[in-house]
Amino acid sequence: MIIPKDVEDLANYVENGENVFCFMADWCGDCRFIKPYLPEIEADFPDLQFIEVDRDQYIDIAKMWNILGIPSFVVIKNGEERGRFVSKNRKTKEEIEDFLSSVR
């Protein structure tokens, strides 16, 4: 999981490559639930880069991207959004993998 250093670093990942932006926060119970499964999900999708975006640190980005619940996942390839899995509900490993498979 890549953690951007600042907004410019985050913007670079938006514009370059095929990336999964994982919006999370330390205080989020559903984020803590799914976090142990993320290395397995990353291993199942080796052609994608996973970018962890702290929703609180990047609150303006989260608002601009209409991230209303966390954890949320947005796939962007070279600046173009390919899909999003954004909801307030807890997500399972299987749901995330199904979503990632569907946007390919």
Side-chain angles (χ1 to χ4, degrees):
M1 184 81 64
I2 297 167
I3 299 175
K5 297 182 288 279
D6 52 34
V7 172
E8 291 78 21
D9 196 27
L10 182 62
N12 185 51
Y13 289 112
V14 169
E15 294 300 323
N16 299 294
E18 189 168 15
N19 300 304
V20 181
F21 294 86
C22 309
F23 284 84
M24 303 182 151
D26 290 339
W27 52 263
C28 169
D30 290 341
C31 300
R32 287 194 306 269
F33 169 80
I34 200 61
K35 198 160 190 165
Y37 298 101
L38 290 177
E40 295 173 34
I41 295 169
E42 286 183 85
D44 290 342
F45 295 88
D47 53 327
L48 298 173
Q49 287 190 105
F50 288 75
I51 316 298
E52 183 175 338
V53 182
D54 183 307
R55 202 250 5 199
D56 294 338
Q57 182 179 354
Y58 297 101
I59 190 74
D60 292 337
I61 305 277
K63 287 179 184 176
M64 186 172 61
W65 288 16
N66 208 25
I67 304 297
L68 302 175
I70 52 174
S72 289
F73 301 85
V74 180
V75 177
I76 297 180
K77 183 175 183 179
N78 298 324
E80 180 183 324
E81 185 175 319
R82 306 289 297 236
R84 59 177 45 220
F85 188 15
V86 175
S87 71
K88 63 179 181 170
N89 299 325
R90 177 173 280 186
K91 292 151 187 74
T92 66
K93 176 182 183 246
E94 292 76 22
E95 289 173 325
I96 295 167
E97 289 191 334
D98 289 346
F99 159 70
L100 294 172
S101 295
S102 75
V103 296
R104 309 199 64 206

